[in-house]
Amino acid sequence: MTVWDDLVGQERVSEQLAAAARDADAFVTAAASDAPPPEASRMTHAWLFTGPPGAGRNQAARAFAAALQCVSPDRALGGVPGCGFCDGCHTALVGTHADVSTVAAVGAEILVKDMRDTVRKSFTAPANGRWQVILVEDAERLNEKSANAVLKAVEEPAPRTVWLLCAPSVEDVLPTIRSRCRHLVLSTPSVEAVADMLVRREGIEPDVAAAVARATQGHVDRARRLATDPAARARRAAVLKLPLRVEDVGGALRAAQELVDAAAEDAKQLAEERDGKETEDLKTALGAAQGGRLPRGTAGAVKDLEDMQKRRRTRTQRDSLDVALADLTSFYRDVLALQFGSRIALANTDAEDALERLARASTPESTLRRIEAIAACGEALDRNVAPLLAVEAMTMALRAG
């Protein structure tokens, strides 16, 4: 199994990245033997991966990083870099490779202090003699200062440094940065491709795989989670009942409160799993005895970690709400399809009774207004409106139609 097997429905992108990895490997081999480098190369120092949510932007970038770090002996025999089994591939894929640094938004933005050490590292030589890879998973969340820090690093990179930036669209990245990157566009995988991946890679029953792939409309990560996590299925089922619970003001407000509470609980559970261990690990690294006091001058580091964890909890709650909004949008899209007399490719066949009830009780115009209300809720959350206020405004709009 090669690293490219993780890219579901992205054959064209896989071919381009595999060709670039071959050229990168030839460059490293030539440098090691003092031979002249290849005259023409499909490899470059900066890449921009764009595509809709669930298309696999981050997976494509990480697979490419693994291929660049591949140390399989088969390469010398003409094999393609990215075997998926060697130490270089494995550590790059799981995020422990010394020369692959990952930056992701902890809160709403990637702050310049989050980028500072990574930018500094980008100017150093790789520890194992191949490539220094910097993977920015949420490039659209770079703020002005952190984007300028990335721009300076991308303008004049070290000889063996590769930047991999991921964003929903090219417009989400500063023009000065994207003009220095090679752009790869990923498309939404087909429902069939996602279902096939779940059967082959996760051992999911074919009918279950087809149902969750259809429900998530080709979103690979969400389909995998729905197929393997009962709690995720329960949350989705609760969200799909919301349209029938907003028929009066009290029901609309209760539904909003429950949706926000569920997202907060999801964030709390994830935080409990990670925060305590991170704090104890940091205290141990700073030299604190078990249950003892921190050495003098180290309280600031613990405070920085606590601030980061707070921002991450906020981001996790927002991500959970984003999933709920996507499920609601999918629900009303199906309602609209039924109102226009189409049953082709309904995403939420498990809620067909509710879909038909709403389709009969409303008009296509009101359904479109409800879809717009869901989008407006997402935009309000982007502007840091309090989650409960944003969701209450949405549920009241869903009630009004």
Side-chain angles (χ1 to χ4, degrees):
M1 183 184 70
T2 70
V3 297
W4 314 114
D5 292 337
D6 287 332
L7 308 189
V8 181
Q10 310 295 343
E11 289 77 11
R12 180 181 56 82
V13 169
S14 298
E15 291 173 2
Q16 291 177 280
L17 293 176
R22 285 194 296 269
D23 288 350
D25 188 60
F27 178 87
V28 173
T29 302
S33 61
D34 294 327
E39 293 183 4
S41 175
R42 286 156 291 192
M43 181 60 186
T44 188
H45 72 286
W47 298 75
L48 175 59
F49 298 80
T50 66
R57 300 186 300 263
N58 295 341
Q59 289 89 340
R62 190 163 293 282
F64 187 40
L68 293 177
Q69 306 294 7
C70 182
V71 292
S72 168
D74 292 342
R75 295 174 4 262
L77 303 175
V80 178
C83 66
F85 295 102
C86 70
D87 184 66
C89 286
H90 175 71
T91 54
L93 290 174
V94 300
T96 59
H97 197 289
D99 293 327
V100 179
S101 301
T102 303
V103 179
V106 175
E109 296 180 326
I110 298 179
L111 306 179
V112 67
K113 66 178 183 179
D114 298 329
M115 288 298 308
R116 199 168 285 135
D117 290 341
T118 303
V119 169
R120 189 180 299 116
K121 185 179 180 181
S122 74
F123 290 104
T124 64
N128 68 357
R130 295 192 66 78
W131 298 93
Q132 187 76 262
V133 181
I134 311 297
L135 170 55
V136 183
E137 292 189 345
D138 306 287
E140 76 278 10
R141 295 181 183 270
L142 291 165
N143 64 20
E144 182 179 357
K145 291 182 178 179
S146 57
N148 286 334
V150 171
L151 175 60
K152 292 177 182 178
V154 172
E155 281 182 323
E156 299 177 1
R160 293 281 190 86
T161 294
V162 182
W163 284 83
L164 309 178
L165 309 179
C166 303
S169 70
V170 69
E171 288 78 16
D172 291 317
V173 180
L174 281 179
T176 47
I177 293 179
R178 68 188 188 227
S179 65
R180 290 163 172 80
C181 298
R182 184 164 298 167
H183 184 201
L184 292 178
V185 182
L186 284 76
S187 58
T188 300
S190 67
V191 169
E192 293 75 18
V194 175
D196 178 67
M197 179 276 295
L198 292 174
V199 172
R200 289 186 296 104
R201 302 289 298 276
E202 307 292 338
I204 305 299
E205 291 296 324
D207 55 341
V208 175
V212 298
R214 185 169 56 249
T216 57
Q217 293 293 285
H219 193 300
V220 178
D221 289 337
R222 287 188 58 212
R224 183 184 287 112
R225 189 172 184 186
L226 270 184
T228 58
D229 184 359
R233 292 195 292 273
R235 282 194 294 270
R236 175 176 173 272
V239 169
L240 295 185
K241 293 177 182 176
L242 185 146
L244 299 180
R245 300 179 55 206
V246 297
E247 295 178 350
D248 58 74
V249 173
L253 296 180
R254 283 193 298 273
Q257 184 69 64
E258 291 173 11
L259 194 61
V260 173
D261 288 347
E265 182 63 25
D266 193 24
K268 180 182 177 182
Q269 289 178 358
L270 290 174
E272 288 175 349
E273 296 172 5
R274 296 178 299 193
D275 292 0
K277 184 177 186 304
E278 284 179 345
T279 301
E280 289 303 316
D281 288 347
L282 177 62
K283 289 181 178 179
T284 301
L286 293 174
Q290 184 71 26
R293 298 179 60 183
L294 286 168
R296 181 174 299 179
T298 60
V302 176
K303 180 64 167 57
D304 288 343
L305 176 63
E306 291 172 348
D307 290 342
M308 184 275 290
Q309 290 172 340
K310 182 178 179 181
R311 286 189 287 136
R312 187 171 63 194
R313 283 193 293 272
T314 301
R315 171 70 189 277
T316 303
Q317 181 180 7
R318 170 61 205 279
D319 289 345
S320 182
L321 285 173
D322 279 344
V323 171
L325 296 183
D327 287 334
L328 279 175
T329 302
S330 172
F331 182 93
Y332 282 109
R333 169 216 172 260
D334 284 353
V335 171
L336 191 63
L338 291 176
Q339 288 171 333
F340 282 112
S342 174
R343 290 181 174 272
I344 298 175
L346 291 182
N348 302 286
T349 53
D350 51 340
E352 198 161 350
D353 290 344
L355 294 173
E356 291 181 347
R357 175 178 167 182
L358 285 180
R360 290 192 300 267
S362 61
T363 64
E365 290 79 10
S366 65
T367 302
L368 285 172
R369 286 194 294 270
R370 285 166 171 146
I371 292 174
E372 290 171 354
I374 298 169
C377 179
E379 292 170 0
L381 292 170
D382 278 338
R383 296 194 301 271
N384 291 324
V385 173
L388 184 58
L389 290 177
V391 177
E392 284 180 344
M394 179 193 72
T395 55
M396 292 299 290
L398 295 180
R399 173 182 175 272

